[in-house]
Amino acid sequence: MNKQMLLEIVHEMKPVDLSLYYPKGDAAAFWKRALSSGVLQADISEIRAEAVRLDGQSIPEMSYTLFSIYSRTGSRLEYERVYFERRRRLNTYVFLALLEPEHPEVLEKLEDILWAICDEYTWCLPAHLPADHNAADINRYIDLFSSETGFTLSEVLLLLGERLSQLLRSRIHHEVERRLFRPFLENGPYDWETARHNWAAVCAGSIGAAALLSVEDPAMLADILLRTERAMLYYLEGFGEDGACLEGLGYWNYGFGYFTYYSDLLCSRSTGRLDWFNQEKVAQIARFQQKCFIDGSHVANFSDSVPQVLVHMGLSHYLAEVCTDVERPPSALRAPYTEDHCSRFAPAFRNLIWTRAGKEDEAWRAASYYLPDAAWLVSRHVSEAGSFGFAAKGGHNAEPHNHNDLGHFILSGRGEIYASDLGSGEYTADYFGAGRYQYDCNGSQGHSLPIIDGQYQLAGRAFSSTVLHASAEENDELTLDLTQA
């Protein structure tokens, strides 16, 4: 799309209002119904339990010592634990302020954490900053979490409106423009704008969504959307026509989730003129989640993916509404409010506004899939004897969040895993550095693979498999040539 066409669409956009989230823009009526809604009771109870946990606690400090640990040791956990605890605090008080507007002390706590986040040295994580960065140009860097933070604050501004003080609203506008919009327009292009994985969707999607919510200048909004739309094209190039996310289901939830949150706001504001979900490839990606589960909550957890996954019901129900053949997940797989250790606002909020009452199966139905672009075979078998799952993969050893795992397979029966994938390890500097394949969860030594004369598989695009035969019809079969692995 060219800039002129985009500018014309932007000029015709209606002003931003709460109808983006609520029927007829009636927020009070929505939250009143939510309090008595059976489908949201677990989420609301968990939010209130978090508020009880936080009661009496001060906002955790983000000290220099914590910030510098990564550069000194390569460990991310210490700083990120505090960073994400602050985001959990923000989310909890936003949701309580919406659910219980009659309690002024909740709004006071919310304003305090909003102010504290505006005070942070950077919204980026230390692991995502150059080692030689300096304070003078800190705001030129944009990563996943700085983008998410800007999106979150823009949504909070719209959701709470004049209930927040004028000074705080002005401060948030200033910080989002200073840390997100201006750097994006003046310092790019960023490497992630042409990434074919989750970074493009999360960073560009968050910036685009924040702009759709808060940028009033049509020319500036068009400039931002032009860049975000290009980044989304690159993100989609990372998928084959089979819709498989090579990074695994966890990163599908993350990247495709933010792609969806952005796309929904874009479609709404453009009154349907800009709708990514008109594309069959996007709909095919939306069907990926239901193809990953092999037995209960166990999934085909190739790459840096955990063995068991719970789902964002809001995202899942939304996709089931806008795309054909997307199945609603079993309700037992609902991710609780505290499940996301990163405390991301966008999915947590949409679990409340997008989850719909309805009927779904108690468990995933039996199904088999062969995903030819990914070279994955995934099988769910259900019989009187119980449920059984199998997954195997080909591909190459330069995939996003790659493991050297060509020919690897997973086998489960009646909820027990017999041949497993270890999943992802703790993210450290070395985990993404020279020592990556010394970790058993990443190297072929930790997978269901042959080791010949002590030789492990090697990393790189040249180390690949060839599919000789694949079937997911009467029999589930995958035959690979691994001589180039």
Side-chain angles (χ1 to χ4, degrees):
M1 177 178 295
N2 61 51
K3 182 177 179 180
Q4 185 56 40
M5 184 182 300
L6 191 55
L7 190 57
E8 290 174 7
I9 293 174
V10 169
H11 272 292
E12 294 172 7
M13 287 181 176
K14 296 178 181 179
V16 176
D17 62 36
L18 291 174
S19 64
L20 289 170
Y21 305 113
Y22 312 117
K24 300 179 181 179
D26 194 341
F30 173 86
W31 293 109
K32 185 176 180 180
R33 288 194 303 273
L35 286 168
S36 59
S37 167
V39 75
L40 294 178
Q41 283 313 296
D43 294 272
I44 292 172
S45 295
E46 289 156 1
I47 290 166
R48 285 174 166 158
E50 269 300 283
V52 170
R53 182 184 70 84
L54 293 167
D55 189 38
Q57 294 186 22
S58 59
I59 297 172
E61 181 185 0
M62 299 178 74
S63 66
Y64 172 74
T65 299
L66 281 177
F67 185 85
S68 63
I69 287 175
Y70 178 77
S71 64
R72 291 185 282 110
T73 71
S75 176
R76 300 172 57 153
L77 290 179
E78 294 82 0
Y79 181 86
E80 291 179 13
R81 189 177 293 117
V82 173
Y83 183 102
F84 296 137
E85 175 72 1
R86 283 175 161 228
R87 270 60 183 172
R88 175 68 53 76
R89 189 181 189 92
L90 170 63
N91 297 354
T92 301
Y93 289 132
V94 171
F95 298 144
L96 271 190
L98 295 170
L99 288 162
E100 302 173 359
E102 68 277 10
H103 294 150
E105 68 277 8
V106 172
L107 191 64
E108 182 178 316
K109 292 174 181 176
L110 171 58
E111 290 188 322
D112 280 342
I113 185 59
L114 285 168
W115 191 263
I117 289 174
C118 286
D119 274 343
E120 290 174 358
Y121 168 62
T122 174
W123 291 340
C124 298
L125 298 185
H128 296 159
L129 292 170
D132 60 350
H133 83 273
N134 61 70
D137 63 359
I138 187 62
N139 287 322
R140 73 184 303 272
Y141 301 107
I142 300 176
D143 76 341
L144 298 164
F145 296 98
S146 63
S147 305
E148 289 178 40
T149 299
F151 179 18
T152 297
L153 297 187
S154 299
E155 288 207 302
V156 171
L157 273 182
L158 180 57
L159 293 169
L160 275 297
E162 294 184 359
R163 291 177 62 190
L164 299 174
S165 72
Q166 173 57 41
L167 174 60
L168 187 55
R169 299 200 309 271
S170 174
R171 174 97 193 267
I172 291 172
H173 274 298
H174 171 72
E175 295 297 338
V176 173
E177 181 166 336
R178 181 172 73 96
R179 299 173 187 248
L180 221 59
F181 300 147
R182 289 298 172 192
F184 183 58
L185 292 174
E186 296 171 4
N187 296 320
Y190 290 84
D191 289 344
W192 46 257
E193 291 185 62
T194 54
R196 292 173 174 84
H197 52 69
N198 70 87
W199 274 70
V202 176
C203 295
S206 292
I207 294 169
L212 286 163
L213 294 170
S214 61
V215 173
E216 296 180 354
D217 176 24
M220 182 177 178
L221 178 56
D223 284 340
I224 291 173
L225 292 180
L226 190 65
R227 294 261 294 279
T228 57
E229 290 287 276
R230 287 172 181 164
M232 292 308 178
L233 287 171
Y234 278 100
Y235 172 66
L236 294 178
E237 285 183 7
F239 296 85
E241 295 303 317
D242 60 11
C245 178
L246 298 179
E247 299 174 282
L249 184 56
Y251 281 102
W252 175 91
N253 265 310
Y254 189 26
F256 193 63
Y258 275 84
F259 173 89
T260 302
Y261 313 144
Y262 163 74
S263 300
D264 172 68
L265 290 171
L266 181 70
C267 185
S268 296
R269 289 226 56 203
S270 67
T271 59
R273 294 177 67 183
L274 300 174
D275 184 1
W276 281 102
F277 281 92
N278 279 333
Q279 298 186 26
E280 174 55 28
K281 183 175 183 178
V282 173
Q284 190 73 301
I285 298 168
R287 300 177 191 118
F288 177 68
Q289 176 175 254
Q290 66 212 43
K291 299 177 182 179
C292 276
F293 284 86
I294 58 173
D295 191 357
S297 61
H298 291 281
V299 299
N301 63 312
F302 305 131
S303 304
D304 278 337
S305 180
V306 294
Q308 292 179 275
V309 173
L310 299 175
V311 304
H312 298 308
M313 284 300 176
L315 173 63
S316 299
H317 288 186
Y318 178 90
L319 295 175
E321 287 186 355
V322 300
C323 298
T324 59
D325 300 325
V326 171
E327 299 176 24
R328 288 167 59 108
S331 57
L333 293 178
R334 179 192 72 89
Y337 174 62
T338 55
E339 191 263 348
D340 179 9
H341 78 280
C342 296
S343 301
R344 299 178 177 94
F345 179 82
F349 175 53
R350 284 157 181 82
N351 282 339
L352 298 174
I353 65 169
W354 282 356
T355 299
R356 300 283 186 265
K359 188 175 181 180
E360 53 270 315
D361 294 329
E362 292 184 7
W364 293 110
R365 290 172 287 180
S368 295
Y369 306 99
Y370 175 61
L371 304 173
D373 297 300
W376 287 18
L377 177 71
V378 183
S379 174
R380 292 194 301 266
H381 178 73
V382 180
S383 69
E384 292 181 359
S387 61
F388 302 85
F390 178 79
K393 75 177 294 291
H396 58 82
N397 282 339
E399 296 169 351
H401 283 265
N402 180 68
H403 291 187
N404 290 340
D405 60 355
L406 308 180
H408 171 56
F409 64 91
I410 302 167
L411 178 66
S412 73
R414 302 188 186 97
E416 184 174 352
I417 301 296
Y418 294 99
S420 67
D421 189 304
L422 297 176
S424 58
E426 179 189 331
Y427 285 11
T428 63
D430 193 48
Y431 188 83
F432 290 107
R436 180 171 179 82
Y437 298 105
Q438 295 174 18
Y439 292 87
D440 287 345
C441 57
N442 300 336
S444 54
Q445 69 273 20
H447 292 82
S448 308
L449 295 169
I451 307 247
I452 301 171
D453 290 337
Q455 175 63 56
Y456 300 151
Q457 291 184 18
L458 297 177
R461 186 65 178 82
F463 302 98
S464 60
S465 66
T466 301
V467 177
L468 301 179
H469 169 72
S471 174
E473 302 294 333
E474 292 184 7
N475 296 313
D476 298 332
E477 301 172 342
L478 180 63
T479 306
L480 301 172
D481 180 338
L482 295 175
T483 55
Q484 299 302 313

